[in-house]
Each structure stands twice: as structure tokens, then as C-alpha cells.
């Protein structure tokens, strides 16, 4: 567990804490304001309405609570009142129980990159020990409350319900909208508001039967919830995955609390935005336009969660058939850029996923698309269904290109990104790729390490955003000025797959990259730096953690694993300098590992293009093969003529192709 200032105290404070707590009084001086938010003509509220008409608000609140404790017509996707019995007496996973118990002590599990943070006996919701914005934002998502709810269901111990009610009221009291510009920025950012709107529907069912969930607290809860939904209705994020999350959660609000007068407005707003945004944010090839694999998966689930909530309310007809078809296309796009072990590249701030979590995803998607044999194949780990009938694939609008020779663990798969701009999560890395061979990702993307914060945090983030720490071309090791790749050519065949694209990487210098997948076995990459700009042109490569061997005389680097699964990278041409560079990879937030990294460099002093020819050759022999590449007579990349001979250990392969470049 990491140690930071005031993080994770070692002494136990819970007994004294619980004894010292004073129950915050209800903040509502006018309970009629809450009842004014309700549609008292809603089925089941007749008795509540009579009591409100008599202005007997105390009894009306008690009747309303009784209604909610016995409500059966509204279903939740995850936590319903009847689910409590399934948890009773059952042991929770250790991590869930720990979050619940430490949450009781105000040691909140805010973010996996930082562990537990002590927010004090008298909770300081503005505490910010490390100036990473994610700490401050995600505090207000109250991720430890759900574990407290599960611990309550599991144990039946009222201490969890009592503490949750206390913390809920404490949050309301100490984080009013308008407290300060700083607090509004974090506590009332629309994404955090939306997270609370979604999660508090499940929490409501977890705790509503508790004697600590009093009629007075119900009024506090409903008032706070309605204010949240009304606020979000007027303050959606303008674009991106945040807008999708917010819209989906408004569907939750409208479907779960139909008794509130604005419920239909919330629900309709969310559905309308999702129906609009699925057409805006999802490219025709199925990629979500932020081009981050993690957020692509999250977006699939956003759309499906909204659909599921609408289905539970009998309102799924408000989504057209094209909505569901687009989601299925998104899943197929994910299949195309995934590796056989279910992982995918960490492009665009993505983090490493694990097979077990992705199998769960596919299983959940199979419930929605039971006829899709490809989803079934992934959901059953190949026991049922079928893999795609094709191999290599191009998602040309979003710019994810996959070369593969199979779908099983013995396969070779390269996924390359040459895309349009991708908003906040985009990195200046067009042309970068991962290469996965026989169970090993030899060239994983760098990742991102952290997101945003003060200057110190941004410095950590910006190291991972450098163009030079990705597998692409640079001018003087500067970051690309533009990431707006132009697709030129794509062809697949049993003997040769070809991709050609251009990226306007720098002022007066564009990068044209041609990738050849030869005999479904190895790769030849032809890089051109085209334009009037002058300086040091470098093509950069980073390897997986482990030893590597560099041969500067041959402009080559190879991995040095002892399992007969290795990779040789060799560049051909004159006046090439091989330079070792700092290499790091971050598979998870605030976690990083060193790794080999290097560049092949040439000087560009005239207006003529600078060219590199690089072979990436996976091999399973004790020694790396001897490779030569010879341009043949017609070779002219400027006019799109590929004509070269590759000799690998004495075996020649003549490659010809005509590419329609201008």
C-alpha cells in the first residue's frame, strides 16, 4: 500500500468515531418542498396525497417510505430489494469488505492509484493530499458506499446503514452547490453528479429497509436526488464519453424514480441525447470517436445500460433498431483490434485489461446478442460459436488497422493506429502499433500513467504522451503537430497484406508509412519523411520489459527471451544511427516499469524524402536469422511502386505492389 501525506493511518479510529458522530439534522425546513416535487397522483401514492393535503408531512413522509419499502413495479439492473436475501450471511470478497470497513473509518478508497486516504473524523470533503485531479473528482463518486451497502446486506449489521446515512447527510451539508468555484469544479462536475445519480439508485434499494433510513432521511434523499437530476439536465458536458455517461444516468433517474414530477423529462432527455450521440460519436466502422479502447468498451456498456434500464421500465421502444445494431457493430470493432488473449492496445490513455474481465463483458453482451456467433465464441472462450471468417481488417474511419494470421494463442497480430484527432485522450502518436506473437505483446503501447492535475502531475502525464515514446516517426524528437491521418491504401491476400497512410506530422513534413505483412509471417515497414523541413528524423521502437541485444553495426535490436519466442527489428539503409532511449510502460494508473527503447535516426538536410526500411521478424530459433533487403529496379516509393527482395536466412521473397499515391 502506498504512503502519501496523511494517507492510510495505521491506528484504528472507528469506535471513537462512531461514538462521536452527531446525526446531522435534516436540512429541509420546508418538507412540503419535497412533496411538491412528487406526482402525488402516481399509482400507489393516494394515501401520501391525502396526508399532504392535510399538511401532515410527518405522517406523509412515513407513508411515502412505506410505499418505497414495498414498491415492486420498479426494477433495478443490479440491486433490487429482493436481492438482499442472496447476500445475507454470505462472505464478501476481501477487497469489497475492506473498502466497506475502512470507509466506516473515513478511510475512503477514492482511486486505485492511491489506495485508502484518510479524510478525518470530521470528514473533510475538500482534502486534496496530492494534486491529481482524479483524487478530488473521484472522491465525490463515493465508490466505497456500494461496498458498505453490500456489507449491510451481507452482515445485517445496522452500523453500515447508520454510517451511510451519516455520510450522505454530511456530504449534502458540506458540499452545497455554490460553496466555492473550486468545490463546484470537483463536487459538481457533471460526470460526478451523474455517477451519484446512477449509483444512488442501487444504494436506495440497499438501505431503504433499514430503520436508520427514516422518513426524514427519505425527504433529504429525494430532495438531494432531484436537485442532482435537475442540475444535470441543465449542465450536460458538451461532447465525448462524459456526455454519454451523463445521458445514460439520466435514463436511470427517470426510470427509477417515476414518482418525481420531472422524471419523464429526465428520462426523455437522456434517451434523446443517446439516440443523437450514437450517430455522432460512433464512426461507420464502429469505433467510438475518442479512439481509446477502454472508453470504447465503456461506451458499449453505456448504451446497453440505458437500453437495459428502459427495458425494465417497458420503454425500450424509445430506442430505434439502429441503436442496438450500432452497439453490435462496436463489439465487432473491438473483436477486430483485440489480441487472442482478449487484451487490446493501450492507445489513447487506455489501461491494460485482463482476460477474465473481458470474458465477463462478452458474456453480458451475449445476453443482448445471443445469435451473434462471434460474441458467443469470445463469451465461451472458444467452446461455442465461431471466430470471424476473415483475418486482417481495417477500421478505416477511426484508423485502427489489424494484421493477423489467426485468432488463437499461436497467432501473430499487429494493431496499428493512424487516426483522426481523438479529443482529450488522444496522444500525438499516429503510426504507433502493438505487435503480439504467440502469447507475448512484444511492443506494448506506453500507456498514460496519470490523467490531469497540477504541474507536477501533468509532467508525469506528458512524458507518456511524447511522440518519441511511441512506435512512429519524429522530427528532432518533437511531438507531432497534427494527428489527422489520411488513408491511402489497404489490401489483404494470403501472401501479402498492405497498408499505406500519411500523417501531416509537422509543419513542412509529412510521414508516409507503408506496412507489409509478408506471407502472414513477418513485417516490412517503409517509412518516408516527406517535405522541406530539415533535422534529425527518427523512427522509434519500444519493447516489452526484459533484456534486449543491440547491434549498431547492423542497425538491429532483438529481444532476448529464453522461451524461443523472440523478435528481431532491423533497419536498412545508409547513414543510420542507432540510439538507445529511455523506455517505460504503464499498464495501470500510477504504475510504471522500465523497458528497452531505441531509435534509428538519419539526418535530413535537403528537400528529398528520407526513407527507412525496417523488418520486424518473429523467430523461434536459438539465433536470430540473417536478413537483407534489396530495392529492385522499379522501386520508387515517391510514385507508389514497391519492388524489393527480402532474404531471410537464404530464403528470398520478391515483393511487388503498386500503391495509388499522389
Amino acid at each position: 500500500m502506498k504512503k502519501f501525506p496523511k494517507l492510510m493511518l495505521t491506528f484504528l479510529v472507528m469506535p471513537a468515531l462512531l461514538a462521536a458522530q452527531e446525526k446531522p439534522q435534516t436540512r429541509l425546513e420546508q418538507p412540503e418542498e419535497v412533496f411538491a416535487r412528487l406526482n402525488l397522483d402516481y399509482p400507489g401514492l393516494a394515501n401520501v396525497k391525502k396526508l399532504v393535503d392535510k399538511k401532515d408531512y410527518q405522517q406523509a413522509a412515513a407513508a411515502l417510505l412505506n410505499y418505497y419499502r414495498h414498491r415492486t413495479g420498479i426494477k433495478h439492473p443490479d440491486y433490487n430489494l429482493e436481492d438482499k436475501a442472496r447476500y445475507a450471511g454470505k462472505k464478501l470478497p476481501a477487497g469489497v469488505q475492506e473498502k466497506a470497513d475502512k470507509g466506516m473509518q473515513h478511510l475512503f478508497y477514492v482511486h486505485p492509484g492511491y489506495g485508502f486516504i484518510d479524510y478525518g473524523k470530521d470528514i473533510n470533503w475538500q482534502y486534496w493530499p496530492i494534486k491529481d485531479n482524479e483524487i478530488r473528482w473521484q472522491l465525490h463518486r463515493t465508490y466505497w458506499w456500494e461496498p458498505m451497502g453490500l456489507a449491510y446486506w451481507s452482515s445485517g449489521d445496522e452500523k453500515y446503514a447508520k454510517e451511510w446515512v451519516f455520510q450522505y447527510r454530511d456530504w449534502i451539508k458540506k458540499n452545497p452547490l455554490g460553496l466555492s468555484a473550486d468545490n463546484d469544479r470537483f463536487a459538481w462536475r457533471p460526470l460526478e453528479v451523474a455517477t451519484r445519480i446512477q449509483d444512488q439508485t442501487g444504494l436506495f434499494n440497499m438501505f431503504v429497509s433499514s430503520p436508520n433510513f427514516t422518513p426524514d432521511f427519505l425527504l433529504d434523499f429525494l430532495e438531494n436526488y432531484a436537485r442532482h437530476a435537475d442540475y444535470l439536465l441543465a449542465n450536460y458536458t458538451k461532447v465525448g464519453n462524459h456526455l454519454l455517461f451523463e445521458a445514460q444516468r439520466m435514463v436511470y433517474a427517470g426510470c427509477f424514480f417515476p414518482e418525481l414530477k420531472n422524471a419523464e423529462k429526465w428520462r426523455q432527455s437522456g434517451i434523446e441525447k443517446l439516440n443523437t450521440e450514437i450517430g455522432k460519436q460512433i464512426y461507420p466502422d464502429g469505433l467510438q470517436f475518442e479512439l481509446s479502447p477502454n472508453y470504447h468498451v465503456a461506451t458499449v456498456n453505456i448504451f446497453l445500460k440505458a437500453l437495459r434500464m428502459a427495458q425494465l421500465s417497458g420503454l425500450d421502444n424509445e430506442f430505434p433498431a439502429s441503436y442496438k445494431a450500432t452497439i453490435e457493430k462496436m463489439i465487432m470493432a473491438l473483436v477486430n483490434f483485440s489480441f487472442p488473449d482478449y487484451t487490446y492496445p493501450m492507445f489513447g490513455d487506455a489501461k491494460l485489461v485482463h482476460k477474465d474481465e473481458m470474458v465477463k463483458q462478452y458474456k453480458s453482451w451475449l445476453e443482448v446478442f445471443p445469435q451473434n456467433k462471434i460474441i458467443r465464441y469470445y463469451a465461451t472462450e472458444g467452446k461455442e460459436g465461431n471466430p470471424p471468417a476473415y483475418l486482417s481488417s481495417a477500421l478505416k474511419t477511426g484508423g485502427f488497422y489489424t494484421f493477423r494470421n489467426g485468432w488463437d494463442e499461436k497467432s501473430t497480430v499487429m494493431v496499428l493506429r493512424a487516426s483522426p484527432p481523438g479529443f482529450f485522450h488522444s496522444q500525438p502518436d499516429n503510426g504507433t502499433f502493438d505487435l503480439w506473437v504467440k502469447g507475448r505483446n512484444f511492443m506494448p503501447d506506453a500507456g498514460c500513467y496519470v490523467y490531469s492535475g497540477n504541474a507536477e502531475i501533468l509532467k508525469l502525464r506528458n512524458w507518456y504522451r511524447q511522440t518519441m515514446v511511441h512506435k512512429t516517426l519524429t522530427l528532432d524528437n518533437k511531438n507531432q503537430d497534427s494527428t489527422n491521418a489520411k488513408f491511402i491504401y489497404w489490401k489483404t491476400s494470403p501472401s501479402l497484406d498492405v497498408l499505406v497512410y500519411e500523417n501531416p506530422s509537422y509543419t513542412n513534413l509529412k510521414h508516409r508509412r507503408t506496412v507489409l505483412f509478408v506471407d502472414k509471417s513477418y513485417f516490412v515497414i517503409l517509412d518516408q519523411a516527406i517535405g522541406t523541413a530539415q533535422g534529425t528524423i527518427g523512427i522509434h521502437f519500444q519493447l516489452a520489459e526484459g533484456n534486449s541485444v543491440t547491434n549498431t553495426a547492423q542497425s538491429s535490436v532483438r529481444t532476448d527471451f529464453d522461451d524461443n519466442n523472440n523478435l528481431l527489428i532491423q533497419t536498412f539503409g545508409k547513414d543510420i544511427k542507432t540510439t538507445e532511449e529511455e523506455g517505460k510502460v504503464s499498464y495501470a494508473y500510477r504504475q510504471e516499469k522500465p523497458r528497452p527503447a531505441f531509435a534509428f535516426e538519419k539526418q535530413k538536410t535537403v528537400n528529398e524524402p528520407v526513407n527507412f526500411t525496417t523488418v520486424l521478424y518473429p523467430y523461434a530459433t536459438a539465433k536470430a536469422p540473417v536478413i537483407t533487403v534489396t530495392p529492385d529496379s522499379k522501386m520508387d516509393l515517391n510514385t507508389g511502386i514497391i519492388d524489393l527482395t527480402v532474404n531471410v536466412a537464404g530464403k528470398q521473397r520478391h515483393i511487388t505492389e503498386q500503391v495509388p499515391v499522389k
Side-chain angles (χ1 to χ4, degrees):
M1 189 173 296
K2 299 181 180 179
K3 294 182 179 180
F4 297 103
K6 209 181 176 187
L7 302 192
M8 189 53 215
L9 297 181
T10 57
F11 55 87
L12 297 178
V13 298
M14 191 173 94
L17 168 66
L18 295 177
Q21 287 178 358
E22 294 182 7
K23 176 183 176 182
Q25 296 300 308
T26 176
R27 60 192 292 271
L28 296 172
E29 297 179 0
Q30 303 295 330
E32 61 268 26
E33 293 178 2
V34 183
F35 292 108
R37 290 185 178 275
L38 289 165
N39 172 16
L40 294 174
D41 293 320
Y42 190 83
L45 297 184
N47 189 37
V48 178
K49 183 178 182 180
K50 289 179 182 178
L51 292 166
V52 170
D53 289 343
K54 294 178 181 179
K55 297 185 180 181
D56 189 347
Y57 299 120
Q58 183 175 359
Q59 290 302 315
L64 183 61
L65 179 57
N66 184 66
Y67 160 82
Y68 277 118
R69 284 175 172 170
H70 295 89
R71 186 178 70 165
T72 58
I74 303 301
K75 295 298 181 182
H76 190 273
D78 303 306
Y79 301 112
N80 290 288
L81 296 175
E82 59 269 25
D83 293 331
K84 181 177 181 179
R86 293 193 297 108
Y87 287 86
K90 303 289 179 61
K91 187 176 181 180
L92 297 175
V96 174
Q97 189 68 54
E98 182 182 28
K99 290 171 188 174
D101 290 339
K102 287 182 175 173
M104 297 282 289
Q105 304 173 48
H106 304 171
L107 298 170
F108 298 154
Y109 192 82
V110 172
H111 190 285
Y114 297 95
F116 293 89
I117 302 176
D118 177 25
Y119 283 85
K121 178 179 177 181
D122 182 12
I123 301 171
N124 180 0
W125 296 95
Q126 285 75 46
Y127 180 51
W128 197 7
I130 296 173
K131 299 304 183 285
D132 183 331
N133 290 345
E134 293 300 317
I135 291 179
R136 191 83 181 270
W137 276 320
Q138 295 195 34
L139 166 68
H140 296 286
R141 300 179 194 176
T142 59
Y143 284 141
W144 61 96
W145 281 358
E146 182 179 300
M148 287 171 64
L150 293 174
Y152 174 59
W153 271 5
S154 170
S155 67
D157 194 327
E158 286 296 328
K159 69 180 182 181
Y160 294 107
K162 181 179 181 181
E163 175 63 20
W164 177 73
V165 168
F166 173 85
Q167 290 186 20
Y168 192 95
R169 280 176 156 164
D170 195 69
W171 189 95
I172 294 173
K173 181 175 121 180
K174 294 177 180 175
N175 294 282
L177 181 63
L179 177 67
S180 69
D182 180 68
N183 199 59
D184 285 359
R185 175 191 172 203
F186 293 105
W188 288 90
R189 186 174 71 153
L191 182 62
E192 277 60 55
V193 174
T195 302
R196 296 193 294 271
I197 284 173
Q198 172 184 266
D199 293 353
Q200 288 177 20
T201 55
L203 290 165
F204 184 89
N205 279 344
M206 288 178 173
F207 289 112
V208 71
S209 298
S210 167
N212 285 284
F213 199 116
T214 63
D216 279 351
F217 177 73
L218 174 63
L219 298 188
D220 284 356
F221 182 97
L222 292 175
E223 172 68 15
N224 181 61
Y225 194 91
R227 287 188 181 186
H228 272 59
D230 285 343
Y231 176 83
L232 187 57
L233 188 67
N235 291 279
Y236 283 112
T237 301
K238 300 302 181 185
V239 70
N241 69 79
H242 285 206
L243 175 56
L244 300 182
F245 276 117
E246 292 154 17
Q248 172 249 309
R249 289 155 184 182
M250 285 296 272
V251 176
Y252 268 53
C255 289
F256 190 79
F257 286 113
E259 304 88 357
L260 291 163
K261 286 180 179 177
N262 286 344
E264 184 175 358
K265 187 186 299 184
W266 301 333
R267 175 179 55 77
Q268 288 181 345
S269 171
I271 289 174
E272 287 173 5
K273 286 196 177 296
L274 290 171
N275 280 332
T276 298
E277 291 299 317
I278 200 169
K280 289 182 177 180
Q281 295 200 26
I282 309 306
Y283 285 134
D285 56 23
L287 286 173
Q288 197 262 348
F289 71 175
E290 290 174 283
L291 303 173
S292 169
N294 279 169
Y295 286 102
H296 179 91
V297 173
T299 301
V300 170
N301 290 327
I302 288 170
F303 290 132
L304 286 178
K305 280 185 175 183
L307 180 61
R308 176 61 175 156
M309 195 65 174
Q311 287 173 335
L312 290 173
S313 301
L315 299 167
D316 50 308
N317 60 343
E318 296 190 18
F319 291 102
S322 60
Y323 180 91
K324 190 173 176 181
T326 299
I327 299 170
E328 188 172 15
K329 183 182 288 186
M330 294 178 70
I331 299 171
M332 291 301 96
L334 172 65
V335 167
N336 284 332
F337 65 75
S338 293
F339 301 117
D341 65 349
Y342 290 66
T343 64
Y344 45 69
M346 298 188 295
F347 299 155
D349 288 356
K351 303 171 186 66
L352 183 66
V353 294
H354 299 284
K355 183 175 181 178
D356 57 348
E357 60 187 280
M358 291 309 301
V359 170
K360 290 179 182 178
Q361 294 280 9
Y362 282 105
K363 285 181 177 179
S364 69
W365 299 335
L366 183 61
E367 293 178 4
V368 184
F369 304 102
Q371 303 305 316
N372 188 307
K373 293 182 179 180
I374 295 173
I375 296 177
R376 182 172 298 279
Y377 178 83
Y378 278 85
T380 62
E381 300 180 64
K383 297 180 181 68
E384 301 174 19
N386 305 108
Y390 54 85
L391 293 172
S392 298
S393 62
L395 304 174
K396 296 178 183 178
T397 313
F400 282 19
Y401 303 90
T402 303
F403 303 88
R404 72 171 71 237
N405 63 9
W407 295 93
D408 62 20
E409 294 281 336
K410 297 179 181 179
S411 302
T412 296
V413 185
M414 174 191 282
V415 183
L416 182 146
R417 179 184 185 275
S419 306
F423 306 98
F424 173 79
H425 293 290
S426 180
Q427 299 187 6
D429 62 358
N430 261 350
T432 196
F433 59 86
D434 282 23
L435 176 57
W436 193 97
V437 182
K438 296 178 181 177
R440 173 172 289 132
N441 190 340
F442 279 96
M443 310 180 85
D445 188 87
C448 71
Y449 191 64
V450 292
Y451 273 3
S452 63
N454 65 3
E456 179 183 356
I457 296 296
L458 288 176
K459 183 178 179 181
L460 297 173
R461 172 176 173 77
N462 287 337
W463 189 95
Y464 283 87
R465 297 188 76 255
Q466 296 176 93
T467 302
M468 65 178 290
V469 305
H470 295 86
K471 292 164 283 294
T472 190
L473 180 145
T474 61
L475 171 64
D476 295 328
N477 284 341
K478 296 177 182 177
N479 287 345
Q480 292 174 351
D481 296 329
S482 174
T483 53
N484 193 8
K486 173 188 175 185
F487 167 80
I488 295 176
Y489 187 69
W490 171 260
K491 171 189 172 182
T492 64
S493 73
S495 60
L496 186 67
D497 295 344
V498 184
L499 166 68
V500 185
Y501 76 91
E502 286 182 357
N503 190 69
S505 300
Y506 302 95
T507 303
N508 299 322
L509 190 79
K510 65 181 178 181
H511 174 208
R512 181 185 298 162
R513 171 164 277 184
T514 300
V515 182
L516 309 173
F517 189 24
V518 184
D519 297 330
K520 296 289 190 290
S521 176
Y522 63 93
F523 297 87
V524 178
I525 300 178
L526 308 173
D527 286 302
Q528 294 177 277
I530 304 169
T532 60
Q534 299 182 11
T536 301
I537 306 298
I539 53 171
H540 302 263
F541 300 94
Q542 307 84 35
L543 298 170
E545 312 93 285
N547 295 328
S548 64
V549 178
T550 302
N551 186 327
T552 56
Q554 294 183 350
S555 301
S556 71
V557 178
R558 64 175 175 84
T559 62
D560 192 27
F561 296 104
D562 59 6
D563 58 358
N564 291 326
N565 186 17
N566 280 292
L567 177 69
L568 171 66
I569 305 171
Q570 186 169 356
T571 292
F572 298 87
K574 296 180 180 179
D575 304 319
I576 297 173
K577 178 183 177 183
T578 304
T579 303
E580 292 188 4
E581 298 181 321
E582 182 182 17
K584 294 189 289 187
V585 61
S586 177
Y587 295 113
Y589 204 88
R590 284 196 73 95
Q591 296 180 23
E592 61 184 6
K593 296 180 180 181
R595 61 164 172 177
F598 57 95
F600 299 122
E601 297 176 333
K602 288 185 180 181
Q603 295 302 310
K604 189 175 186 299
T605 58
V606 295
N607 292 345
E608 291 298 315
V610 165
N611 299 332
F612 297 86
T613 299
T614 306
V615 174
L616 278 61
Y617 196 90
Y619 65 96
T621 54
K623 293 184 179 180
V626 176
I627 298 176
T628 61
V629 178
T630 306
D632 292 323
S633 60
K634 296 181 181 179
M635 184 74 172
D636 186 357
L637 289 178
N638 296 330
T639 60
I641 299 175
I642 300 170
D643 184 21
L644 54 83
T645 297
V646 181
N647 188 310
V648 179
K651 182 179 180 180
Q652 290 190 349
R653 176 68 160 83
H654 186 210
I655 302 171
T656 61
E657 193 73 25
Q658 175 67 62
V659 176
V661 300
K662 294 181 180 180

